[in-house]
């Protein structure tokens, strides 16, 4: 949802460009950019959103944490194999989102856009918690909890204080770990998921 919300913010800009045409593009170029280029750019986020919507679950078992897609396990981490737990605000949730060397170079070149995307991500999380979920929850910046084993990680994003406290209790009971006292991790650049199911 956060990737999708990020791109939807560009719709008002697109409408402005379409009606005002500040760069004086020809009609053909303007229509091509808006009705061909923009849908191509947004389509990966739409595809992932509708592919995953209401199908992703995280289950907390006695000795294991599971990340599932329609009851198919994407990642599993045994509590006995936990290496670390960290806090974050990002929506980095699967190792397939890691970027390659070329993407890393592009990220450095477009660093101001990366900063903007992180600011929008924080705002989108606020929007999601406070408005879309229609809760009166106190917004928590580092609400994502990332659990790591040697070979995998799972990003847990509680959407209410109740869920957060249940997860907090789970880690206190199973590992004697207070998630609120864990280090913050910042993944500044990552890509769309490439999960084969």
């Amino acid at each position: 949802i956060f990737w999708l919300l990020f791109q939807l913010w560009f719709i008002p800009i697109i409408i402005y460009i379409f009606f005002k045409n500040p760069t004086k593009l020809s009609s053909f170029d303007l229509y091509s950019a808006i009705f061909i280029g923009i849908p191509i750019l947004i389509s990966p986020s739409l595809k992932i959103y509708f592919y995953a919507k209401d199908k992703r679950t995280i289950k907390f078992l006695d000795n294991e944490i599971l990340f599932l897609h329609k009851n198919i396990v994407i990642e599993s981490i045994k509590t006995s194999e936990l290496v670390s737990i960290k806090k974050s605000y990002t929506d980095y949730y699967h190792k397939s989102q890691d970027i390659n060397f070329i993407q890393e170079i592009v990220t450095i070149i477009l660093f101001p856009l990366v900063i903007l995307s992180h600011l929008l991500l924080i705002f989108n999380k606020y929007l999601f918690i406070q408005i879309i979920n229609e809760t009166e929850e106190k917004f928590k910046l580092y609400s994502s909890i990332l659990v790591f084993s040697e070979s995998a990680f799972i990003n847990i994003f509680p959407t209410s204080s109740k869920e957060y406290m249940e997860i907090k209790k789970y880690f206190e009971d199973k590992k004697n770990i207070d998630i609120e006292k864990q280090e913050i991790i910042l993944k500044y650049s990552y890509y769309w998921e490439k999960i084969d199911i």
Side-chain angles (χ1 to χ4, degrees):
I1 183 113
F2 300 120
W3 271 105
L4 186 60
L5 286 172
F6 172 72
Q7 294 192 324
L8 292 181
W9 282 113
F10 290 100
I11 290 175
I13 298 168
I14 293 163
I15 291 169
Y16 172 80
I17 290 170
F18 183 74
F19 286 107
K20 293 291 186 180
N21 192 7
T23 54
K24 307 298 182 211
L25 291 172
S26 69
S27 295
F28 176 78
D29 289 341
L30 187 64
Y31 279 85
S32 296
I34 289 171
F35 296 108
I36 298 172
I38 300 299
I40 288 170
L41 289 174
I42 291 177
S43 62
S45 294
L46 283 171
K47 181 184 173 188
I48 290 168
Y49 175 73
F50 288 112
Y51 178 69
K53 186 179 185 300
D54 300 325
K55 300 179 187 78
R56 299 279 168 91
T57 313
I58 294 177
K59 284 190 178 179
F60 297 87
L61 307 178
D62 275 345
N63 61 354
E64 194 172 21
I65 302 167
L66 303 175
F67 176 30
L68 305 136
H69 178 98
K70 289 176 70 174
N71 294 320
I72 298 167
V73 176
I74 296 172
E75 292 290 358
S76 67
I77 296 177
K78 293 189 182 301
T79 53
S80 61
E81 296 173 356
L82 273 176
V83 172
S84 66
I85 300 173
K86 301 192 183 297
K87 302 185 296 185
S88 183
Y89 64 82
T90 67
D91 56 346
Y92 172 63
Y93 59 89
H94 191 261
K95 58 193 174 190
S96 69
Q97 292 176 278
D98 288 337
I99 59 177
N100 60 36
F101 178 73
I102 302 297
Q103 291 166 331
E104 183 81 42
I105 298 299
V106 172
T107 297
I108 292 166
I109 294 168
L110 301 176
F111 195 71
L113 286 177
V114 172
I115 298 296
L116 173 64
S117 70
H118 279 266
L119 293 173
L120 278 176
L121 172 61
I122 292 167
F123 183 75
N124 287 340
K125 287 186 84 166
Y126 175 83
L127 187 74
F128 179 77
I129 292 290
Q130 305 294 139
I131 298 168
I132 296 175
N133 274 5
E134 296 180 348
T135 67
E136 295 181 4
E137 302 285 344
K138 184 178 178 183
F139 178 69
K140 198 177 196 66
L141 178 60
Y142 301 110
S143 55
S144 297
I145 303 139
L146 280 75
V147 293
F148 293 86
S149 69
E150 289 290 352
S151 59
F153 77 93
I154 297 172
N155 186 338
I156 306 158
F157 174 51
T159 57
S160 69
S161 293
K162 182 175 181 291
E163 282 183 3
Y164 185 86
M165 293 310 293
E166 287 172 350
I167 294 163
K168 187 174 188 293
K169 186 175 188 312
Y170 175 87
F171 286 109
E172 285 171 349
D173 291 348
K174 300 298 176 191
K175 300 293 289 183
N176 196 26
I177 291 173
D178 184 349
I179 57 174
E180 294 196 5
K181 293 180 179 176
Q182 301 312 299
E183 289 181 5
I184 294 164
I185 184 172
L186 175 58
K187 183 76 173 178
Y188 72 92
S189 184
Y190 45 93
Y191 208 60
W192 293 290
E193 69 171 56
K194 297 176 283 295
I195 300 172
D196 294 321
I197 297 171

Short mmCIF file of all heavy atoms in Angstrom, two decimals, residues 123-160:
data_model
loop_
_atom_site.label_atom_id
_atom_site.label_comp_id
_atom_site.label_asym_id
_atom_site.label_seq_id
_atom_site.Cartn_x
_atom_site.Cartn_y
_atom_site.Cartn_z
N PHE A 123 4.77 9.99 5.87
CA PHE A 123 3.44 10.60 5.80
C PHE A 123 2.38 9.57 5.43
O PHE A 123 1.28 9.56 5.99
CB PHE A 123 3.44 11.76 4.80
CG PHE A 123 2.11 12.47 4.75
CD1 PHE A 123 1.73 13.32 5.77
CD2 PHE A 123 1.24 12.25 3.69
CE1 PHE A 123 0.49 13.96 5.74
CE2 PHE A 123 0.01 12.89 3.65
CZ PHE A 123 -0.37 13.75 4.68
N ASN A 124 2.71 8.68 4.49
CA ASN A 124 1.76 7.65 4.07
C ASN A 124 1.43 6.69 5.21
O ASN A 124 0.29 6.25 5.34
CB ASN A 124 2.30 6.87 2.87
CG ASN A 124 2.27 7.68 1.60
OD1 ASN A 124 1.54 8.65 1.49
ND2 ASN A 124 3.08 7.29 0.63
N LYS A 125 2.43 6.37 6.03
CA LYS A 125 2.17 5.51 7.18
C LYS A 125 1.24 6.22 8.16
O LYS A 125 0.33 5.61 8.71
CB LYS A 125 3.47 5.11 7.87
CG LYS A 125 4.27 4.10 7.09
CD LYS A 125 5.49 3.62 7.84
CE LYS A 125 5.11 2.49 8.78
NZ LYS A 125 6.29 1.77 9.29
N TYR A 126 1.49 7.51 8.35
CA TYR A 126 0.60 8.29 9.22
C TYR A 126 -0.81 8.29 8.65
O TYR A 126 -1.79 8.06 9.37
CB TYR A 126 1.13 9.73 9.35
CG TYR A 126 0.21 10.63 10.13
CD1 TYR A 126 0.25 10.63 11.53
CD2 TYR A 126 -0.71 11.44 9.48
CE1 TYR A 126 -0.60 11.44 12.26
CE2 TYR A 126 -1.57 12.25 10.21
CZ TYR A 126 -1.51 12.25 11.60
OH TYR A 126 -2.37 13.03 12.31
N LEU A 127 -0.92 8.54 7.36
CA LEU A 127 -2.22 8.56 6.68
C LEU A 127 -2.91 7.21 6.83
O LEU A 127 -4.11 7.14 7.12
CB LEU A 127 -2.00 8.88 5.20
CG LEU A 127 -3.21 9.10 4.32
CD1 LEU A 127 -3.84 10.44 4.63
CD2 LEU A 127 -2.83 9.04 2.85
N PHE A 128 -2.17 6.13 6.65
CA PHE A 128 -2.72 4.78 6.73
C PHE A 128 -3.25 4.49 8.13
O PHE A 128 -4.37 4.00 8.30
CB PHE A 128 -1.65 3.76 6.34
CG PHE A 128 -2.12 2.34 6.41
CD1 PHE A 128 -2.91 1.81 5.41
CD2 PHE A 128 -1.76 1.53 7.48
CE1 PHE A 128 -3.35 0.49 5.47
CE2 PHE A 128 -2.19 0.22 7.55
CZ PHE A 128 -2.98 -0.30 6.55
N ILE A 129 -2.46 4.81 9.14
CA ILE A 129 -2.85 4.52 10.53
C ILE A 129 -4.01 5.40 10.97
O ILE A 129 -5.00 4.93 11.52
CB ILE A 129 -1.65 4.71 11.49
CG1 ILE A 129 -0.58 3.65 11.23
CG2 ILE A 129 -2.09 4.69 12.95
CD1 ILE A 129 -0.96 2.25 11.63
N GLN A 130 -3.88 6.72 10.74
CA GLN A 130 -4.85 7.66 11.30
C GLN A 130 -6.13 7.79 10.48
O GLN A 130 -7.19 7.99 11.06
CB GLN A 130 -4.21 9.05 11.41
CG GLN A 130 -2.92 9.10 12.19
CD GLN A 130 -3.09 8.75 13.66
OE1 GLN A 130 -2.27 8.06 14.22
NE2 GLN A 130 -4.13 9.23 14.29
N ILE A 131 -6.03 7.69 9.16
CA ILE A 131 -7.20 7.99 8.32
C ILE A 131 -7.77 6.75 7.66
O ILE A 131 -8.95 6.45 7.82
CB ILE A 131 -6.84 9.06 7.27
CG1 ILE A 131 -6.43 10.36 7.99
CG2 ILE A 131 -8.01 9.31 6.32
CD1 ILE A 131 -5.79 11.40 7.13
N ILE A 132 -6.94 6.00 6.94
CA ILE A 132 -7.46 4.84 6.23
C ILE A 132 -7.98 3.80 7.23
O ILE A 132 -9.04 3.23 7.04
CB ILE A 132 -6.39 4.23 5.31
CG1 ILE A 132 -6.02 5.26 4.22
CG2 ILE A 132 -6.86 2.93 4.67
CD1 ILE A 132 -4.89 4.86 3.31
N ASN A 133 -7.24 3.55 8.30
CA ASN A 133 -7.69 2.61 9.32
C ASN A 133 -8.67 3.23 10.30
O ASN A 133 -9.23 2.54 11.14
CB ASN A 133 -6.49 2.05 10.10
CG ASN A 133 -5.89 0.85 9.41
OD1 ASN A 133 -6.30 0.48 8.32
ND2 ASN A 133 -4.92 0.24 10.04
N GLU A 134 -8.85 4.55 10.20
CA GLU A 134 -9.79 5.30 11.03
C GLU A 134 -9.59 5.02 12.52
O GLU A 134 -10.51 4.69 13.25
CB GLU A 134 -11.25 4.98 10.62
CG GLU A 134 -11.58 5.41 9.20
CD GLU A 134 -13.01 5.10 8.81
OE1 GLU A 134 -13.69 4.36 9.54
OE2 GLU A 134 -13.45 5.61 7.77
N THR A 135 -8.35 5.11 12.95
CA THR A 135 -8.06 4.89 14.36
C THR A 135 -7.65 6.20 15.02
O THR A 135 -7.32 7.17 14.35
CB THR A 135 -6.91 3.88 14.55
OG1 THR A 135 -5.71 4.47 14.06
CG2 THR A 135 -7.18 2.58 13.84
N GLU A 136 -7.68 6.19 16.32
CA GLU A 136 -7.20 7.34 17.09
C GLU A 136 -5.88 6.98 17.76
O GLU A 136 -5.52 7.53 18.79
CB GLU A 136 -8.25 7.76 18.12
CG GLU A 136 -9.53 8.27 17.47
CD GLU A 136 -10.57 8.70 18.49
OE1 GLU A 136 -10.27 8.68 19.70
OE2 GLU A 136 -11.68 9.06 18.08
N GLU A 137 -5.16 6.06 17.13
CA GLU A 137 -3.88 5.61 17.67
C GLU A 137 -2.87 6.77 17.66
O GLU A 137 -2.88 7.60 16.77
CB GLU A 137 -3.31 4.47 16.81
CG GLU A 137 -4.21 3.27 16.69
CD GLU A 137 -4.23 2.42 17.94
OE1 GLU A 137 -3.33 2.60 18.79
OE2 GLU A 137 -5.15 1.61 18.07
N LYS A 138 -2.01 6.75 18.66
CA LYS A 138 -0.89 7.69 18.65
C LYS A 138 0.12 7.18 17.62
O LYS A 138 0.54 6.02 17.66
CB LYS A 138 -0.25 7.74 20.04
CG LYS A 138 0.86 8.77 20.14
CD LYS A 138 1.42 8.81 21.55
CE LYS A 138 2.57 9.82 21.60
NZ LYS A 138 3.20 9.84 22.93
N PHE A 139 0.48 8.04 16.68
CA PHE A 139 1.39 7.62 15.61
C PHE A 139 2.76 7.27 16.17
O PHE A 139 3.32 8.00 16.96
CB PHE A 139 1.52 8.74 14.57
CG PHE A 139 2.47 8.41 13.46
CD1 PHE A 139 2.15 7.44 12.53
CD2 PHE A 139 3.70 9.06 13.35
CE1 PHE A 139 3.03 7.12 11.50
CE2 PHE A 139 4.56 8.77 12.33
CZ PHE A 139 4.22 7.79 11.40
N LYS A 140 3.27 6.11 15.75
CA LYS A 140 4.58 5.63 16.20
C LYS A 140 5.48 5.57 14.98
O LYS A 140 5.21 4.80 14.06
CB LYS A 140 4.40 4.26 16.84
CG LYS A 140 5.53 3.81 17.71
CD LYS A 140 5.16 2.46 18.32
CE LYS A 140 6.03 2.12 19.50
NZ LYS A 140 5.84 3.00 20.64
N LEU A 141 6.52 6.38 14.95
CA LEU A 141 7.39 6.45 13.76
C LEU A 141 8.05 5.10 13.48
O LEU A 141 7.96 4.58 12.37
CB LEU A 141 8.45 7.54 13.94
CG LEU A 141 9.44 7.69 12.78
CD1 LEU A 141 8.72 8.02 11.48
CD2 LEU A 141 10.48 8.75 13.10
N TYR A 142 8.69 4.53 14.48
CA TYR A 142 9.41 3.25 14.29
C TYR A 142 8.49 2.09 14.66
O TYR A 142 8.75 1.35 15.60
CB TYR A 142 10.70 3.24 15.10
CG TYR A 142 11.64 4.35 14.71
CD1 TYR A 142 11.89 5.41 15.57
CD2 TYR A 142 12.24 4.35 13.45
CE1 TYR A 142 12.74 6.45 15.19
CE2 TYR A 142 13.08 5.39 13.07
CZ TYR A 142 13.33 6.42 13.94
OH TYR A 142 14.16 7.44 13.56
N SER A 143 7.43 1.96 13.91
CA SER A 143 6.42 0.94 14.21
C SER A 143 6.71 -0.41 13.57
O SER A 143 6.13 -1.41 13.95
CB SER A 143 5.04 1.43 13.76
OG SER A 143 5.07 1.78 12.40
N SER A 144 7.60 -0.43 12.60
CA SER A 144 7.96 -1.70 11.96
C SER A 144 9.01 -2.42 12.79
O SER A 144 9.97 -1.81 13.26
CB SER A 144 8.50 -1.45 10.54
OG SER A 144 7.52 -0.86 9.73
N ILE A 145 8.81 -3.72 12.94
CA ILE A 145 9.74 -4.55 13.71
C ILE A 145 10.33 -5.58 12.76
O ILE A 145 9.60 -6.41 12.21
CB ILE A 145 9.02 -5.24 14.88
CG1 ILE A 145 8.35 -4.20 15.78
CG2 ILE A 145 9.98 -6.12 15.67
CD1 ILE A 145 6.99 -4.60 16.25
N LEU A 146 11.64 -5.50 12.54
CA LEU A 146 12.30 -6.44 11.62
C LEU A 146 13.03 -7.50 12.43
O LEU A 146 13.84 -7.17 13.30
CB LEU A 146 13.31 -5.71 10.72
CG LEU A 146 12.70 -4.97 9.52
CD1 LEU A 146 12.03 -3.69 9.95
CD2 LEU A 146 13.77 -4.67 8.49
N VAL A 147 12.70 -8.76 12.13
CA VAL A 147 13.36 -9.88 12.81
C VAL A 147 14.26 -10.59 11.81
O VAL A 147 13.85 -10.87 10.69
CB VAL A 147 12.33 -10.85 13.44
CG1 VAL A 147 11.60 -10.19 14.58
CG2 VAL A 147 11.33 -11.36 12.41
N PHE A 148 15.49 -10.86 12.22
CA PHE A 148 16.50 -11.41 11.32
C PHE A 148 16.99 -12.77 11.81
O PHE A 148 17.27 -12.95 13.00
CB PHE A 148 17.72 -10.48 11.24
CG PHE A 148 17.45 -9.16 10.59
CD1 PHE A 148 16.95 -8.10 11.32
CD2 PHE A 148 17.71 -8.98 9.24
CE1 PHE A 148 16.71 -6.87 10.72
CE2 PHE A 148 17.48 -7.75 8.63
CZ PHE A 148 16.97 -6.71 9.37
N SER A 149 17.14 -13.70 10.85
CA SER A 149 17.94 -14.90 11.08
C SER A 149 19.19 -14.73 10.22
O SER A 149 19.41 -13.66 9.64
CB SER A 149 17.16 -16.16 10.67
OG SER A 149 17.01 -16.19 9.25
N GLU A 150 20.01 -15.76 10.09
CA GLU A 150 21.21 -15.66 9.26
C GLU A 150 20.87 -15.49 7.78
O GLU A 150 21.59 -14.85 7.03
CB GLU A 150 22.08 -16.91 9.43
CG GLU A 150 22.78 -17.01 10.76
CD GLU A 150 23.89 -15.99 10.95
OE1 GLU A 150 24.25 -15.29 9.97
OE2 GLU A 150 24.40 -15.89 12.08
N SER A 151 19.74 -16.07 7.34
CA SER A 151 19.44 -16.10 5.90
C SER A 151 18.16 -15.38 5.50
O SER A 151 17.85 -15.29 4.32
CB SER A 151 19.34 -17.56 5.44
OG SER A 151 18.34 -18.23 6.17
N ALA A 152 17.40 -14.88 6.46
CA ALA A 152 16.10 -14.28 6.11
C ALA A 152 15.75 -13.18 7.11
O ALA A 152 16.39 -13.02 8.15
CB ALA A 152 15.02 -15.36 6.11
N PHE A 153 14.74 -12.40 6.76
CA PHE A 153 14.17 -11.45 7.70
C PHE A 153 12.69 -11.25 7.39
O PHE A 153 12.22 -11.52 6.28
CB PHE A 153 14.92 -10.12 7.69
CG PHE A 153 14.59 -9.24 6.52
CD1 PHE A 153 13.60 -8.27 6.60
CD2 PHE A 153 15.29 -9.37 5.33
CE1 PHE A 153 13.31 -7.46 5.52
CE2 PHE A 153 15.00 -8.56 4.24
CZ PHE A 153 14.00 -7.60 4.33
N ILE A 154 11.96 -10.81 8.39
CA ILE A 154 10.52 -10.53 8.25
C ILE A 154 10.27 -9.16 8.87
O ILE A 154 10.73 -8.89 9.98
CB ILE A 154 9.66 -11.61 8.94
CG1 ILE A 154 9.88 -12.98 8.28
CG2 ILE A 154 8.18 -11.23 8.89
CD1 ILE A 154 9.22 -14.14 9.00
N ASN A 155 9.56 -8.31 8.16
CA ASN A 155 9.18 -7.00 8.66
C ASN A 155 7.74 -7.10 9.18
O ASN A 155 6.82 -7.40 8.43
CB ASN A 155 9.27 -5.95 7.54
CG ASN A 155 9.03 -4.54 8.05
OD1 ASN A 155 8.41 -4.32 9.08
ND2 ASN A 155 9.51 -3.57 7.30
N ILE A 156 7.57 -6.84 10.46
CA ILE A 156 6.25 -6.91 11.10
C ILE A 156 5.74 -5.49 11.28
O ILE A 156 6.40 -4.67 11.94
CB ILE A 156 6.35 -7.62 12.46
CG1 ILE A 156 7.02 -8.99 12.30
CG2 ILE A 156 4.98 -7.76 13.11
CD1 ILE A 156 7.63 -9.52 13.58
N PHE A 157 4.59 -5.19 10.70
CA PHE A 157 4.04 -3.84 10.79
C PHE A 157 2.69 -3.88 11.51
O PHE A 157 1.66 -4.14 10.91
CB PHE A 157 3.88 -3.24 9.39
CG PHE A 157 3.18 -1.90 9.38
CD1 PHE A 157 3.60 -0.88 10.22
CD2 PHE A 157 2.10 -1.67 8.54
CE1 PHE A 157 2.95 0.34 10.22
CE2 PHE A 157 1.45 -0.45 8.53
CZ PHE A 157 1.88 0.57 9.37
N PRO A 158 2.68 -3.67 12.84
CA PRO A 158 1.40 -3.64 13.55
C PRO A 158 0.60 -2.40 13.17
O PRO A 158 1.17 -1.32 13.01
CB PRO A 158 1.82 -3.60 15.02
CG PRO A 158 3.21 -3.12 15.03
CD PRO A 158 3.82 -3.45 13.71
N THR A 159 -0.70 -2.56 13.01
CA THR A 159 -1.53 -1.43 12.57
C THR A 159 -2.37 -0.85 13.71
O THR A 159 -3.24 -0.02 13.48
CB THR A 159 -2.47 -1.86 11.42
OG1 THR A 159 -3.26 -2.97 11.85
CG2 THR A 159 -1.66 -2.24 10.19
N SER A 160 -2.10 -1.30 14.94
CA SER A 160 -2.80 -0.73 16.09
C SER A 160 -1.93 -0.91 17.33
O SER A 160 -1.02 -1.74 17.35
CB SER A 160 -4.16 -1.41 16.30
OG SER A 160 -3.96 -2.75 16.73
#
